[in-house]
Every structure is written in C-alpha cells, then in structure tokens.
C-alpha cells in the first residue's frame, strides 16, 4: 500500500529513520540510520538531501551513537564527538549547515569538558538534547521564513501570486514545512497562491520527484516545467516572484544553490521578476567572503547520463555534473531568513544573531 508522507526524518529516543528520497515518488519507504557511518552514506548518496535536512540527519546520527555509548571521561566523549563530526562533514562539501552545527556542538562539548559541575553522563545527556532540539528549531525557523517571505512578496497587496521555484526546499529538505517552499505554503495558507511553477531540476529531479510530490500532497495549484522552459514562462506568464533555497550564502550575499539557479536569476533580472533566496541563518557562512570561495560539489557522471538503470546519454560522451552554481548577490532581491529579509550586501546586520 503506497502510504504518502512528507516526513523526511523520523526520530525518537535514539532511533533514526529517513524517508529514502531516491525512491520517491514511486515508493515511500523509510531507511534506518543505525550509526554515523550510515548517516554519512545516506547524505553522500542523497538518500536524504537538502541543506537543513543534511545537517539534522548528520547530527542525529551522532545522537544515535551517543544514546548507545557511555564514556569513561568527558575528554574521551569530546574526542569521540569531534572525530564523528570531522567524518560527517566530508559527506558533501557545499552545504554549510552541517559544518556549522558541528562547530556549535563541538564548542558546546568543549565548554562542558571544563565545567566541573557537569559529569560525563550529564555531558552525554546535554549533547543528545542539544541535537534533538535541532528538529523543532528548524521547523520554527521555517515557519518564520514563510511569514517573512510571504509578507515581502505580497508587499501589502492581497492578490494571489504566481510563484516559480527550483529544486526542492520543502519538508523533504528540512525537518518540516521548508524554506522557499515554506514561503509558498504560507502564501497558500493565506489563499494567495494562484499557481506555483516548479522546475524538474535535472539530473536528480528534485522538482519533478520531490517538490511536485509536496505540492500535490498539499493541494497547492501547481505546474511542472522543464528547466529549459523558464525563459518562456517569464515571457508568457506574469510571475510574481521566484523563491529558491540555499546551500551556502557567502558574506557578500553570493549564494550557492542547486545547479540552474544562476540562470534563473539572470532571466528573472531580464524580466524584472523579484528573486528571493530563502534560508535559515545556518546557511550563511560569514567565513566565506564571496561566492568565488564556495566549493561546488561535482556529482558522478552516472547521475546525469542515466535515468535509473537506463542510459540516456550517448556512450562515450563525457559529462560535467556540478550539483550547484553560484548566484551573485547583485541578482538577489532579498535573502529571507528566520530573522527577516535582508539585502544581500547587508548581511553583516545578521551577525548579532549568528
Ligand atoms: C532547503 S535548502 C535545500 C537546497 O538543497 C538542495 O540541494 P540538494 O538537493 O543537492 O541537497 C538545493 O540546492 C536546495 O535549494
């Protein structure tokens, strides 16, 4: 029986399962994550994907191990945690969220090592709780992004919107509700969506397989388009705004996001369509000055040259398969975060929150 769900992550008391997104939309099956190694593999092979979901599943896979283990000292526990996160962050290089959460948790752990009032067991319990809290924090952040983004797009008007989105930034890319797709959900909750257009998003097909699945599941009026149809859409439809996610935002507002985002931003500028990046603060990397310094992951040729087990590209052709591209801040109308909407060149205003 095909049981529809949008819950990308199921977690309770040290038991972790992920919705296997390589099987969607045909199959809705959960995959157990029994340790950090399996967490790394699920992220690296994209059984789970999406910058926030990657961070949450990575951290929860550490919580799974902390649940099962006990330690002879706080120093031993800190070393264990550090080694696990050093390994996890190698699963995929572009999204910054997991790296940031790893830094925060490792810092928290080192503070507990020197806190004589805390036992080794206290430290283990505190670390597990800090990781488990990421789930509810992500959902709350996404709801705030949804509200700020919807208010920004509406700009005081109350006429239904036509929105274009790229890739998947919904419940399947986060703990729930989503970032850019969270803005769409908020507009839909206010009955202010006329139509959502989502791109297929080759080659992993996040749009056709995941975003379309979420939009249909929520009953949001929507249409799927080829990645190559965006210019024609802007020419033929009055698109109110484009909303996309982010994997890493540099200090100057340049944003790495799914491949194809940059060309949509160029087209949006040409057609005077507002273009918004929607992302939590954990996607902003103030240590990176500009998009030039963002590492862009290249995925295996097979993911581009095949659909399932069927080869679609001519034998012998080489493929270039970057998973992301960088949109310059100059093409971004605003960066929608859980703290509000910020101009790409004014992200330093977010530093007090970071
Ligand atoms: C909620 S941000 C999701 C972000 O991650 C996606 O990449 P991938 O599917 O390869 O993990 C895409 O860039 C989305 O914008």
């Amino acid at each position: 029986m095909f049981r529809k769900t949008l819950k990308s992550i199921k977690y309770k008391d040290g038991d972790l399962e992920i919705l296997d997104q390589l099987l969607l939309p045909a199959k809705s099956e959960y995959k157990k994550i029994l340790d950090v190694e399996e967490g790394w593999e699920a992220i690296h092979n994209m059984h789970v994907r999406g910058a926030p979901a990657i961070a949450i599943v990575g951290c929860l896979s550490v919580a799974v191990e902390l649940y099962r283990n006990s330690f002879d000292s706080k120093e031993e526990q800190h070393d264990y945690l550090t080694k696990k996160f050093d390994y996890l962050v190698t699963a995929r290089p572009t999204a910054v969220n997991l790296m940031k959460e790893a830094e925060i948790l490792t810092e928290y752990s080192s503070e507990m090592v020197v806190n004589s009032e805390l036992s080794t067991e206290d430290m283990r319990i505190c670390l597990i709780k800090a990781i488990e809290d990421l789930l509810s924090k992500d959902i709350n952040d996404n709801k705030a992004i949804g509200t700020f983004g919807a208010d920004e797009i509406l700009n005081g008007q109350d006429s239904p919107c036509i929105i274009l989105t790229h890739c998947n930034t919904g419940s399947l890319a986060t703990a729930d509700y989503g970032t850019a797709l969270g803005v769409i959900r908020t507009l839909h909750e206010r009955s202010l969506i006329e139509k959502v257009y989502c791109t297929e998003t080759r080659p992993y097909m996040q749009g056709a397989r995941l975003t379309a699945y979420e939009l249909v599941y929520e009953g949001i009026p929507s249409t799927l388009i080829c990645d190559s149809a965006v210019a024609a859409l802007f020419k033929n439809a009055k698109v109110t705004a484009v909303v996309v996610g982010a994997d890493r935002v540099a200090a100057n507002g340049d944003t790495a996001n799914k491949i194809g985002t940059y060309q949509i931003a160029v087209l949006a500028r040409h057609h005077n369509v507002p273009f918004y990046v929607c992302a939590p603060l954990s996607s902003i990397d103030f240590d990176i000055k500009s998009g030039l310094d963002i590492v862009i992951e290249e995925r295996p040729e097979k993911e581009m040259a095949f659909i399932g087990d069927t080869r679609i590209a001519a034998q012998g052709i080489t493929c270039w398969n970057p998973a992301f591209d960088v949109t310059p801040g100059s093409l971004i109308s605003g960066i929608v975060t859980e703290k509000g909407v910020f101009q790409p060149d004014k992200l330093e205003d977010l530093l007090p929150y970071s």
Side-chain angles (χ1 to χ4, degrees):
M1 166 63 182
F2 177 72
R3 190 171 46 80
K4 289 196 301 186
T5 177
L6 294 180
K7 203 159 178 48
S8 59
I9 303 164
K10 282 203 300 194
Y11 174 85
K12 187 165 173 44
D13 301 337
D15 291 328
L16 173 61
E17 291 182 289
I18 57 165
L19 185 59
D20 189 342
Q21 297 189 31
L22 285 174
L23 304 178
L24 287 174
K27 280 190 208 164
S28 179
E29 281 178 17
Y30 283 90
K31 179 182 172 65
K32 279 190 180 306
I33 303 294
L34 298 174
D35 57 27
V36 164
E37 187 110 14
E38 291 190 357
W40 187 96
E41 190 278 335
I43 293 165
H44 183 74
N45 294 325
M46 297 179 72
H47 294 278
V48 61
R49 30 62 52 201
I54 287 170
I56 292 166
V57 168
C59 293
L60 285 174
S61 72
V62 174
V64 166
E65 291 200 16
L66 288 174
Y67 243 92
R68 275 202 317 260
N69 288 291
S70 59
F71 302 88
D72 295 332
S73 71
K74 292 196 282 187
E75 289 75 8
E76 183 203 6
Q77 185 165 194
H78 178 71
D79 291 346
Y80 180 92
L81 188 94
T82 305
K83 283 194 184 70
K84 294 294 177 181
F85 277 125
D86 286 349
Y87 170 63
L88 270 169
V89 298
T90 65
R92 293 185 72 191
T94 303
V96 70
N97 310 59
L98 176 53
M99 292 152 207
K100 283 185 84 167
E101 294 304 347
E103 260 171 48
I104 291 165
L105 288 159
T106 308
E107 176 57 30
Y108 181 41
S109 172
S110 57
E111 286 162 6
M112 286 194 278
V113 167
V114 298
N115 181 345
S116 56
E117 287 173 18
L118 289 174
S119 69
T120 304
E121 181 58 5
D122 293 335
M123 178 178 168
R124 188 179 72 90
I125 292 166
C126 288
L127 283 170
I128 290 171
K129 176 149 184 355
I131 292 171
E132 293 174 345
D133 287 350
L134 292 174
L135 282 159
S136 54
K137 180 184 184 307
D138 187 52
I139 295 168
N140 293 334
D141 289 350
N142 294 338
K143 296 273 176 77
I145 289 168
T147 301
F148 284 123
D151 292 345
E152 173 75 14
I153 288 167
L154 293 167
N155 189 27
Q157 305 297 316
D158 60 359
S159 35
C161 305
I162 297 176
I163 303 290
L164 170 70
T165 193
H166 183 59
C167 197
N168 175 256
T169 59
S171 297
L172 297 173
T174 64
D176 202 350
Y177 204 75
T179 55
L181 204 45
V183 172
I184 289 169
R185 282 193 164 95
T186 304
L187 287 166
H188 179 60
E189 285 158 10
R190 299 182 189 178
S191 306
L192 289 175
I193 285 284
E194 179 183 329
K195 169 82 81 164
V196 174
Y197 289 94
C198 59
T199 59
E200 288 180 313
T201 319
R202 265 192 54 76
Y204 183 95
M205 306 295 268
Q206 288 92 336
R209 296 193 303 111
L210 307 179
T211 296
Y213 180 87
E214 292 201 42
L215 290 167
V216 169
Y217 185 96
E218 303 276 5
I220 297 173
S222 42
T223 296
L224 179 67
I225 64 171
C226 292
D227 300 331
S228 49
V230 169
L233 174 70
F234 286 157
K235 199 170 179 183
N236 290 283
K238 182 118 187 56
V239 176
T240 315
V242 178
V243 291
V244 297
D247 292 82
R248 194 182 294 240
V249 182
N252 72 343
D254 293 351
T255 296
N257 195 53
K258 185 50 51 198
I259 187 73
T261 304
Y262 174 36
Q263 60 196 31
I264 292 173
V266 171
L267 290 168
R269 179 54 54 88
H270 180 74
H271 289 272
N272 298 315
V273 176
F275 180 94
Y276 293 101
V277 166
C278 310
L281 289 186
S282 57
S283 302
I284 301 177
D285 185 353
F286 288 103
D287 294 337
I288 291 238
K289 282 202 180 70
S290 82
L292 292 173
D293 305 321
I294 299 176
V295 172
I296 299 297
E297 176 188 15
E298 290 199 21
R299 299 283 309 176
E301 285 198 3
K302 183 178 188 316
E303 294 182 3
M304 193 178 140
F306 283 74
I307 290 187
D309 294 328
T310 307
R311 185 176 183 90
I312 56 166
Q315 191 72 43
I317 188 71
T318 56
C319 298
W320 180 52
N321 187 17
F324 305 101
D325 57 26
V326 175
T327 299
S330 58
L331 292 178
I332 299 171
S333 308
I335 295 179
V336 185
T337 76
E338 65 273 31
K339 297 298 181 188
V341 184
F342 295 82
Q343 286 306 302
D345 60 355
K346 291 275 186 297
L347 291 184
E348 68 274 8
D349 297 347
L350 277 164
L351 274 169
Y353 302 114
S354 289

